[in-house]
Amino acid sequence: SQTIHQWPATLVQPVGSPLSLECTVEGTSNPNLYWYRQAAGRGLQLLFYSVGIGQISSEVPQNLSASRPQDRQFILSSKKLLLSDSGFYLCACNPVGEYQETQYFGPGTRLLVL
Amino acid sequence: AQSVTQLDSHVSVSEGTPVLLRCNYSSSYSPSLFWYVQHPNKGLQLLLKYTSAATLVKGINGFEAEFKKSETSFHLTKPSAHMSDAAEYFCVVTDPFGNEKLTFGTGTRLTIIP
């Protein structure tokens, strides 16, 4: 079965600073990968998804970007953080061989922008 | 396009009593439906999923959900609540002929009273 790692677990950053959150997946190859954001008191919002290396689709216009440099690595970045970027960021994967919509989530990164 | 509505943002039940978390969906096609659970400061865990097989779906930890097309509902139930069930629950819908993206409800926070 797959395991999803995210780091860091928590992060406090000043406004205007850069951001890099990393997600790696073990136990499966060529998964679909997803970045979600969960703002306080809200559901999850899909930010980006990737069906393969270098293939990124953005769901909403925003201050963030994503990259997939390796098959099982998915990175969320920003050049300059905004206060509104605060939230809980979750990485998810849809493993090969799993029913196509089933997604498994990592432990998340809690980001606070001050 | 699909959407999902969780009718209650917060539900409180006493330990040992039944749990009912309500979810209604809207979908252009026969949907796939999921329930995820999120314990405090943790990622999301798949509880159960409906993918056009049996309408009564059994999941982990004693939870089950029934797909009712006539009512466009997918309510989550458990006969007897346990203290460890306290968490946030998300109802999720996706279009099985679409692009594998999940649409999340806004969540229901379940509190268990000792």
Side-chain angles (χ1 to χ4, degrees):
Chain A
S1 64
Q2 68 291 325
T3 303
I4 304 169
H5 302 280
Q6 287 188 245
W7 63 89
T10 59
L11 190 60
V12 180
Q13 291 284 94
V15 170
S17 64
L19 173 75
S20 180
L21 302 182
E22 189 161 347
C23 169
T24 58
V25 180
E26 293 179 355
T28 186
S29 296
N30 196 29
N32 292 341
L33 296 173
Y34 306 82
W35 276 112
Y36 290 88
R37 176 170 57 203
Q38 184 179 29
R42 297 186 180 182
L44 274 71
Q45 179 186 36
L46 178 63
L47 302 176
F48 300 96
Y49 71 97
S50 171
V51 299
I53 296 174
Q55 301 178 63
I56 309 294
S57 295
S58 173
E59 285 300 293
V60 293
Q62 58 204 320
N63 184 43
L64 302 168
S65 62
S67 61
R68 186 170 177 176
Q70 300 180 43
D71 180 46
R72 289 172 285 181
Q73 184 185 30
F74 203 25
I75 297 172
L76 184 69
S77 304
S78 174
K79 292 182 180 179
K80 287 187 177 181
L81 283 168
L82 306 172
L83 287 174
S84 58
D85 292 325
S86 293
F88 192 46
Y89 289 82
L90 289 159
C91 179
C93 86
N94 165 233
V96 170
E98 198 45 80
Y99 190 83
Q100 61 181 9
E101 294 93 0
T102 304
Q103 294 183 15
Y104 297 89
F105 287 79
T109 293
R110 189 164 300 281
L111 172 66
L112 179 60
V113 182
L114 300 175
Chain B
Q2 61 272 353
S3 66
V4 60
T5 302
Q6 292 184 244
L7 299 166
D8 306 298
S9 60
H10 193 189
V11 170
S12 293
V13 301
S14 297
E15 188 176 17
T17 64
V19 175
L20 170 64
L21 304 183
R22 297 183 294 168
C23 172
N24 287 92
Y25 70 90
S26 172
S27 177
S28 302
Y29 304 95
S30 296
S32 293
L33 293 155
F34 306 78
W35 276 98
Y36 282 86
V37 60
Q38 184 180 31
H39 288 90
N41 298 311
K42 296 291 181 68
L44 275 73
Q45 181 183 20
L46 180 65
L47 268 183
L48 50 80
K49 59 185 177 185
Y50 166 77
T51 54
S52 75
T55 56
L56 181 62
V57 182
K58 294 187 183 298
I60 62 172
N61 301 336
F63 284 94
E64 62 181 38
E66 186 171 7
F67 173 71
K68 292 187 176 180
K69 187 174 182 179
S70 61
E71 299 177 9
T72 61
S73 68
F74 191 56
H75 301 332
L76 182 70
T77 60
K78 182 173 180 177
S80 176
H82 190 272
M83 293 301 296
S84 61
D85 295 328
E88 185 105 20
Y89 292 80
F90 292 94
C91 184
V92 180
V93 66
T94 188
D95 173 4
F97 302 104
N99 49 18
E100 303 173 4
K101 286 183 261 186
L102 305 182
T103 300
F104 283 77
T106 52
T108 298
R109 181 166 298 279
L110 177 63
T111 298
I112 310 298
I113 303 166

